[in-house]
Amino acid sequence: MNIGAVDHIEFYVGDAQHSAFYLCTAFGFRVCGQAGPETGLPGRRSLLLRQGGIEIVLTSALTFDHPVAEYVARHGDGVANIAFEVTDAAKAFAEAVERGATAVEEPVVHSQCGTEVVTASVLGFGDVAHRFVQRTGDRAAFLPGVMDIFAEDPDEGEQLLSTVDHAAICLPAGQLRPTVAFYEKVFGFSQIFEEFIEVGEQAMDSKVVQSPSGKVTFTLIEPVTDRKPGQIDDFLARHGGAGVQHLALLADDIVGAVPALEGRGVKFLETPDAYYNELEERLGSPDLKIEDLRRTNVLVDQDHWGQVFQIFTQSLHIRKTFFWEVIDRHGARTFGSGNIKALYEAVAREKATA
């Protein structure tokens, strides 16, 4: 199937303009294109946002009975499609369906002025689909003949974020192993990490799957039902089933990016001072200065290859079901043993002070 990187992420939202304003003002994205009925996209309107190698599509319905409106009514604003770069979209679609995936959109060819894009979609987990995207020609056109691209902005602004590192996905109890098996069979992913996390009376199980290219990574999480209900149970109840809990965006300099993002209005979760007092004893000397980590509330962990630095935003979602992560990898290929537990505890702190 030859899956490359994440091509783009599509969110279904109640108001694409409002969502774009926040992502541009706070995170530094730029609106680069738009599509709607006037461009041949009936019943909905989409905005294309870009920063570094990250492309985000925000789509809103124009009628109450459109599938996009039904998704938002069921789940609230959220990730609806994680698109994969492929060399042959029609072939990838056929292989995925043959291996057991549910077809969502048959292959469609979009072409204009020498640029051609072929897309096709299958269902992934919950109501989230995966779009196979095959590109020939000018990538800046994004979806030729459908997406109107604006003139290039002469002032690109500060590029703090470079690519999508991974997506964290909450699953109902009992779906973790079948979902791992599904991604292994249908998309050729491999399991690269697993962890059982206990925090007080709550617990959850997690496995990480990754594409052969190493450029698409999903952290899959399910609650443990014989323990006290916790954050994952809350997500599943408020979201209405499986979905993307957060997206992690890669930064080249996290201790520089965090203050810049905070200056634009991004609210990050705070980390107790004791975490940094115990850090050197737990992990040794980190690559970044402990005082810089303490000042920015950045967490650190490590695997066999190196260290990973991360911080999570507060959720501005009305249902508190989606937030962002900023991550900086210093050689680490996976996640340290404290990675997911740190997230779990950070979100618990936010709930305790809400």
Side-chain angles (χ1 to χ4, degrees), residues 95 182 188 195 203 260 328:
E95 289 179 357
F182 174 79
E195 185 176 13
D328 185 355

Side-chain angles (χ1 to χ4, degrees), residues 107-134:
V108 178
V109 179
H110 309 273
S111 61
Q112 189 177 56
C113 301
T115 296
E116 181 177 279
V117 177
V118 183
T119 63
S121 297
V122 297
L123 194 61
F125 52 88
D127 289 332
V128 178
H130 296 304
R131 181 176 295 124
F132 300 114
V133 183
Q134 170 191 340

Side-chain angles (χ1 to χ4, degrees), residues 20-195:
F21 179 79
Y22 172 71
L23 288 175
C24 292
T25 302
F27 284 89
F29 283 90
R30 296 297 178 98
V31 178
C32 298
Q34 67 177 359
E38 66 280 1
T39 66
L41 196 67
R44 54 183 165 160
R45 180 158 282 111
S46 295
L47 297 176
L48 171 65
L49 278 60
R50 284 177 167 145
Q51 179 177 179
I54 307 165
E55 294 188 320
I56 291 176
V57 177
L58 302 171
T59 298
S60 292
L62 299 179
T63 58
F64 75 94
D65 57 349
H66 192 278
V68 172
E70 294 172 356
Y71 176 100
V72 173
R74 189 160 53 246
H75 303 298
D77 293 0
V79 173
N81 201 305
I82 301 175
F84 300 150
E85 291 179 354
V86 295
T87 54
D88 189 329
K91 181 179 179 181
F93 173 82
E95 289 179 357
V97 172
E98 183 181 355
R99 296 172 186 176
T102 300
V104 174
E105 179 190 46
E106 296 283 335
V108 178
V109 179
H110 309 273
S111 61
Q112 189 177 56
C113 301
T115 296
E116 181 177 279
V117 177
V118 183
T119 63
S121 297
V122 297
L123 194 61
F125 52 88
D127 289 332
V128 178
H130 296 304
R131 181 176 295 124
F132 300 114
V133 183
Q134 170 191 340
R135 298 186 179 278
T136 305
D138 183 12
R139 182 186 175 89
F142 190 73
L143 201 60
V146 177
M147 181 73 72
D148 283 345
I149 301 299
F150 303 148
E152 186 173 343
D153 193 333
D155 179 15
E156 291 187 353
E158 192 175 8
Q159 303 278 309
L160 298 174
L161 306 167
S162 61
T163 190
V164 176
D165 184 86
H166 67 272
I169 297 153
C170 294
L171 302 167
Q175 289 193 13
L176 181 58
R177 291 184 183 279
T179 302
V180 169
F182 174 79
Y183 276 90
E184 290 175 336
K185 176 183 177 183
V186 173
F187 302 104
F189 283 30
S190 299
Q191 181 179 318
I192 63 168
F193 186 80
E194 63 180 338
E195 185 176 13

Side-chain angles (χ1 to χ4, degrees), residues 174-223:
Q175 289 193 13
L176 181 58
R177 291 184 183 279
T179 302
V180 169
F182 174 79
Y183 276 90
E184 290 175 336
K185 176 183 177 183
V186 173
F187 302 104
F189 283 30
S190 299
Q191 181 179 318
I192 63 168
F193 186 80
E194 63 180 338
E195 185 176 13
F196 181 83
I197 303 101
E198 295 181 276
V199 180
E201 299 180 64
Q202 303 172 9
M204 61 180 178
D205 205 0
S206 173
K207 298 181 186 295
V208 179
V209 296
Q210 190 174 78
S211 64
S213 68
K215 296 180 179 180
V216 182
T217 305
F218 293 158
T219 299
L220 306 170
I221 310 164
E222 72 172 5

Side-chain angles (χ1 to χ4, degrees), residues 288-305:
L288 301 179
K289 295 179 180 178
I290 292 178
E291 287 310 307
D292 287 340
L293 300 177
R294 189 193 305 268
R295 173 175 53 84
T296 55
N297 288 293
V298 169
L299 305 169
V300 58
D301 216 321
Q302 62 187 17
D303 64 8
H304 295 298
W305 298 275

